[in-house]
Amino acid sequence: MDIKNLLVTGGCGFIGSNFIAYLLAGGHFNGKIINCDKLTYAGNPANLDAINNKFPDRYVFQKVDICDGDLIRELFDRYEIDAVCHFAAESHVDRSIKRPESFIQTNIMGTFNLLEAARAHADRFQLFHHVSTDEVYGSLGATGYFTEETPYRPNSPYSASKAASDHLVRAYHETYGLPTTISNCSNNYGPFQFPEKLIPLIILNAMEGKALPVYGDGRNVRDWLYVEDHCEAIWSIMQKGKRSETYNIGGNSEMENIRIVEMICDIVDEIHPAADGAACRKLITYVKDRPGHDRRYAIDFSKLQKDLGWKPKETFGTGLRKTVEWYLENGNWVEQIRSGDYQKWIEEHYGS
Ligand code: NAD
Ligand code: TYD
C-alpha cells in the first residue's frame, strides 16, 4: 500500500487529532493528510496548531460537513484522495439520548457520502478504514468478552448509528469490492478529549472542587485504552490488516466507573491538592442513572494481537496519571474550548 493523499475525517476531534499527530510528528506516514472536519462543539483546529506549523506542505485542513455529498466529492477530486481514515461522528451517548437526529445524519448519512465518493474513484482508491466502537455489541453480564463474531445489539442511538455505519462499510466491500477495514474499540482517554466524557469531566471538576457525578451505582464497567495506543492500532490495521476484516481493539483495563473516579481523586490530591486540604473523594456525588445504561463492556482483541502483533503499551495507571497531568498543564486549551462559540453551538444543537 502506497497512500499519497489520506483523507482523515473528524481530525479536529479527540482521537482524530491524536492520530494526525501520531502519523506526521511521529514520522509514521510520508504522504499528505487532508483533514476534513465540520468543527462541531467537539472539534478544535487548535489541537493541530503545532502540526500545521511544522508540516505546511503535508497537512491541509478543510472545514467540510461530511453530510454534504457534493463537497465530499469535490474534496476527493481536488486532493486525489486514495485512502480514508474515518473518525468524524457525533460521539457522546448522553447527547444521543437527548437529541438523536444529528447522530443519524452524521454517523449514517455522512458515512454513506464518504463511501459513495470512494466508490466513484475505485480506480485509484486503496483503503477505507472505518473507526468504530465496541458499543455496537451491546452490554455484557459479569463475565465474557466481545469478539469480532459477537452479534450486534446496540442499545443507544449513538451505538445504533455506529452499528448502521459499520454495516454500510461492510456492504460496500461485499457489493462493490471497495477495500475496507473496520476497527471496534473500547473507551479511549488521553490528551485533547472533550470534557463531556467521564475521565476529562472528572479530572476538571476535581481540580476545580466541583461535584463528581457518578451515574447509578457507579459499578458499570468499561475497558479503557490510552489514545496513542489506539492510533498505533489503527495505523497497524490500515497497513497490514486484511481487507474486508473487522478488528477489535482493547486496553486490557476493565474498570468500574467508581474506581476510576477514586483513582483520579487520589492523583489530583497528590499533584494539585485543594487549598483547604479537603480530600477530592468528598466531591463524589451519585446521580440519576443514564437510561439504557450498558452494564459492562470488555473486549477480546486477540485477533489483532495474533495477526498483526499489536498490544497496548500503556497501563491504565500510567496513562491516567499522564492524562491528569496533561489537563493540569493545559489550562489554556480548557479555557479555549469553554469559551467562544462552543456554548452557543451546544444550545442550538442540543438545547442545553
Ligand atoms: P469527538 O467527538 O472528540 O470528535 C469528533 C469530530 O468529528 C469533531 O472534530 C467534530 O467536529 C467532527 N464532526 C462531527 N460531525 C461532523 C460532520 N458532520 N462532518 C465533519 N466532521 C464532523 O470524537 P472522538 O472521541 O475523537 O471519536 C472519534 C471516532 O472514534 C468516532 O467515530 C467514535 O465513534 C469513535 N470511537 C470513539 C471512542 C472514544 O472513547 N472516544 C471509542 C471507540 C470509537
Ligand atoms: P462516557 O465517557 O460518556 O463513555 P461511554 O458512555 O461511551 O462509555 O461514560 C463512561 C462511563 O461513565 C459510562 O458508564 C457512563 C459513566 N459516566 C458517569 O458516571 N458520570 C458522568 O458524568 C459521565 C459523563 C459518564
Side-chain angles (χ1 to χ4, degrees):
M1 191 174 60
D2 179 26
I3 303 173
K4 292 194 173 54
N5 300 308
L6 172 63
L7 178 68
V8 175
T9 70
C12 295
F14 164 47
I15 308 175
S17 56
N18 276 284
F19 182 70
I20 292 173
Y22 171 84
L23 288 190
L24 293 179
H28 296 285
F29 175 59
N30 294 322
K32 187 168 181 167
I33 292 183
I34 296 87
N35 171 12
C36 135
D37 196 302
K38 173 184 176 181
L39 299 184
T40 68
Y41 73 96
N44 182 0
N47 293 2
L48 290 160
D49 277 351
I51 295 296
N52 201 17
N53 293 334
K54 197 163 170 205
F55 300 95
D57 302 328
R58 294 180 44 218
Y59 172 71
V60 180
F61 171 63
Q62 292 283 299
K63 186 173 186 299
V64 169
D65 183 344
I66 58 168
C67 296
D68 188 329
D70 292 340
L71 282 184
I72 292 296
R73 267 193 300 282
E74 241 177 82
L75 262 191
F76 269 71
D77 291 337
R78 187 170 347 130
Y79 293 104
E80 299 184 351
I81 300 301
D82 50 16
V84 171
C85 186
H86 178 31
F87 293 94
E90 289 288 348
S91 69
H92 192 208
V93 174
D94 292 324
R95 290 191 198 287
S96 83
I97 293 168
K98 231 171 166 180
R99 294 217 177 177
E101 188 175 342
S102 59
F103 288 73
I104 306 307
Q105 289 301 333
T106 289
N107 300 0
I108 305 178
M109 290 307 293
T111 302
F112 164 72
N113 287 331
L114 290 160
L115 289 165
E116 277 292 277
R119 180 164 85 90
H121 294 95
D123 48 330
R124 64 160 185 258
F125 198 74
Q126 296 184 48
L127 178 64
F128 191 102
H129 180 74
H130 180 59
V131 180
S132 192
T133 166
D134 60 355
E135 302 190 24
V136 297
Y137 299 123
S139 184
L140 290 165
T143 57
Y145 294 89
F146 298 135
T147 73
E148 288 82 358
E149 274 71 51
T150 303
Y152 276 32
R153 290 189 63 174
N155 291 320
S156 71
Y158 163 67
S159 54
S161 67
K162 291 298 290 187
S165 63
D166 291 11
H167 291 321
L168 275 175
V169 174
R170 182 189 147 80
Y172 269 65
H173 173 78
E174 294 298 323
T175 307
Y176 306 114
L178 194 74
T180 59
T181 43
I182 299 177
S183 51
N184 294 89
C185 185
S186 56
N187 286 53
N188 282 215
Y189 67 101
F192 297 111
Q193 186 167 31
F194 194 84
E196 63 188 350
K197 307 276 165 62
L198 179 71
I199 289 185
L201 183 132
I202 296 296
I203 293 174
L204 293 182
N205 282 15
M207 291 194 318
E208 293 165 8
K210 294 183 185 158
L212 309 179
V214 174
Y215 298 167
D217 64 0
R219 307 282 303 272
N220 298 65
V221 172
R222 301 287 181 265
D223 172 63
W224 294 89
L225 180 67
Y226 192 67
V227 64
E228 198 176 327
D229 280 329
H230 188 190
C231 295
E232 188 185 66
I234 291 172
W235 189 231
S236 157
I237 294 166
M238 289 183 71
Q239 288 181 298
K240 302 182 285 184
K242 210 165 149 216
R243 284 7 187 184
S244 87
E245 297 265 320
T246 284
Y247 294 87
N248 280 352
I249 309 175
N252 258 343
S253 297
E254 263 189 72
M255 200 76 63
E256 285 184 349
N257 294 336
I258 185 62
R259 180 71 197 118
I260 295 173
V261 175
E262 289 170 351
M263 285 171 79
I264 293 172
C265 285
D266 295 348
I267 301 173
V268 171
D269 281 347
E270 183 194 326
I271 65 178
H272 187 70
D276 62 0
C280 254
R281 286 184 186 213
K282 289 199 168 140
L283 301 168
I284 294 173
T285 310
Y286 288 90
V287 298
K288 192 165 168 284
D289 208 355
R290 168 189 284 171
H293 195 174
D294 287 337
R295 192 62 176 169
R296 175 171 168 260
Y297 304 145
I299 202 146
D300 174 347
F301 61 89
S302 54
K303 175 177 172 182
L304 181 57
Q305 188 160 8
K306 197 159 102 317
D307 293 1
L308 307 186
W310 177 90
K311 64 175 190 302
K313 293 199 170 88
E314 207 71 54
T315 66
F316 190 66
T318 56
L320 190 64
R321 180 169 285 268
K322 275 205 232 179
T323 305
V324 177
E325 286 168 355
W326 188 87
Y327 280 90
L328 193 57
E329 285 157 14
N330 286 275
N332 288 346
W333 181 86
V334 175
E335 281 319 306
Q336 193 195 357
I337 56 159
R338 279 178 174 168
S339 62
D341 292 335
Y342 145 67
Q343 197 58 38
K344 194 167 146 250
W345 201 97
I346 287 189
E347 275 158 24
E348 275 169 19
H349 290 259
Y350 300 105
S352 75

